[in-house]
Amino acid sequence: NAGVTQTPKFRVLKTGQSMTLLCAQDMNHEYMYWYRQDPGMGLRLIHYSVGEGTTAKGEVPDGYNVSRLKKQNFLLGLESAAPSQTSVYFCASSYSGRANEQFFGPGTRLTVL
Amino acid sequence: DAKTTQPPSMDCAEGRAANLPCNHSTISGNEYVYWYRQIHSQGPQYIIHGLKNNETNEMASLIITEDRKSSTLILPHATLRDTAVYYCIVRGNDMRFGAGTRLTVKP
């Protein structure tokens, strides 16, 4: 039981490049989330999904897109990376909504030059 | 904006209880109080959560006031490994993290 895994762990991009971050969970959770964490700050929600085929915007969605084609995977895309998107990205999943805890992945450290 | 207010930092002696306060005066009736912690740059770790009643698990206790406007996380016997940033979160449809409390456990 691996829990929540994230790929890749580290990535360096040049401004304007695109990339996709992959999140996978093996707990059969319905809900999945993408957060970003900037230095010295708490996590901020980018997008989330309440089930396969669904996505919704969070607190800071601009510049990102997501897809949930399979229940166990949640992809975060950056179409044209900007230096302001340099951050640590965390994925999380939960069985359902507010009554259940979220389980977090180890994070992806992204640097945009 | 985060719906909670926490002190930015606290110290605790090893072996003593750590009591971390949190104010959430605008909490709604169907919102839960969650506590997570983050050690270094790892992913946040779930500690405990509650709605109205006090809760206890193997890691900690959560005391929620009767009016639900504040709560306290209690680590009964703090160890050096409990040094971390602790986040108090009011969870409704989303979960917004504030800056948290940096707890330092000292020998």
Side-chain angles (χ1 to χ4, degrees), chain A residues 3-17:
Chain A
V4 179
T5 58
Q6 294 183 230
T7 308
K9 290 184 172 55
F10 303 92
R11 186 71 185 268
V12 178
L13 290 178
K14 294 181 179 179
T15 297
Q17 288 185 318

Side-chain angles (χ1 to χ4, degrees), chain B residues 34-85:
Chain B
Y34 275 78
W35 284 84
Y36 284 79
R37 71 182 183 183
Q38 189 173 28
I39 298 173
H40 298 302
S41 299
Q42 299 175 18
Q45 177 189 22
Y46 166 79
I47 301 173
I48 198 166
H49 73 284
L51 184 61
K52 295 180 181 179
N53 300 323
N54 297 337
E55 302 288 344
T56 296
N57 63 21
E58 65 278 4
M59 287 183 67
S61 294
L62 174 61
I63 308 299
I64 303 174
T65 57
E66 191 169 346
D67 63 7
R68 301 212 321 128
K69 293 184 177 182
S70 65
S71 61
T72 300
L73 177 74
I74 301 172
L75 306 179
H77 304 288
T79 70
L80 299 179
R81 288 181 295 179
D82 291 323
T83 292
V85 178

Side-chain angles (χ1 to χ4, degrees), chain A residues 98-101, chain B residues 32-36 48-49 87-89 91:
Chain A
R98 63 187 69 191
N100 294 108
E101 68 266 32
Chain B
Y32 286 74
V33 178
Y34 275 78
W35 284 84
Y36 284 79
I48 198 166
H49 73 284
Y87 296 101
C88 168
I89 300 157
R91 184 172 179 187

Side-chain angles (χ1 to χ4, degrees), chain A residues 71-88:
Chain A
K71 185 177 183 178
Q72 64 268 33
N73 295 336
F74 196 28
L75 278 64
L76 177 70
L78 287 73
E79 290 187 348
S80 180
S84 60
Q85 294 178 304
T86 293
S87 190
V88 180

Side-chain angles (χ1 to χ4, degrees), chain A:
Chain A
N1 191 337
V4 179
T5 58
Q6 294 183 230
T7 308
K9 290 184 172 55
F10 303 92
R11 186 71 185 268
V12 178
L13 290 178
K14 294 181 179 179
T15 297
Q17 288 185 318
S18 63
M19 78 162 296
T20 300
L21 281 67
L22 171 64
C23 176
Q25 53 93 6
D26 60 2
M27 296 174 282
N28 201 34
H29 285 169
E30 290 293 333
Y31 287 50
M32 296 187 74
Y33 314 80
W34 275 108
Y35 294 87
R36 62 175 287 174
Q37 185 175 30
D38 299 323
M41 297 180 64
L43 281 70
R44 291 184 293 170
L45 183 64
I46 304 171
H47 286 280
Y48 65 100
S49 168
V50 300
E52 182 178 320
T54 74
T55 62
K57 294 181 180 180
E59 185 182 358
V60 289
D62 294 341
Y64 305 95
N65 57 76
V66 288
S67 64
R68 183 96 181 269
L69 299 180
K70 294 182 178 180
K71 185 177 183 178
Q72 64 268 33
N73 295 336
F74 196 28
L75 278 64
L76 177 70
L78 287 73
E79 290 187 348
S80 180
S84 60
Q85 294 178 304
T86 293
S87 190
V88 180
Y89 292 84
F90 290 101
C91 176
S93 71
S94 65
Y95 180 70
S96 66
R98 63 187 69 191
N100 294 108
E101 68 266 32
Q102 294 183 8
F103 294 82
F104 283 82
T108 294
R109 187 173 298 274
L110 175 67
T111 300
V112 182
L113 302 176

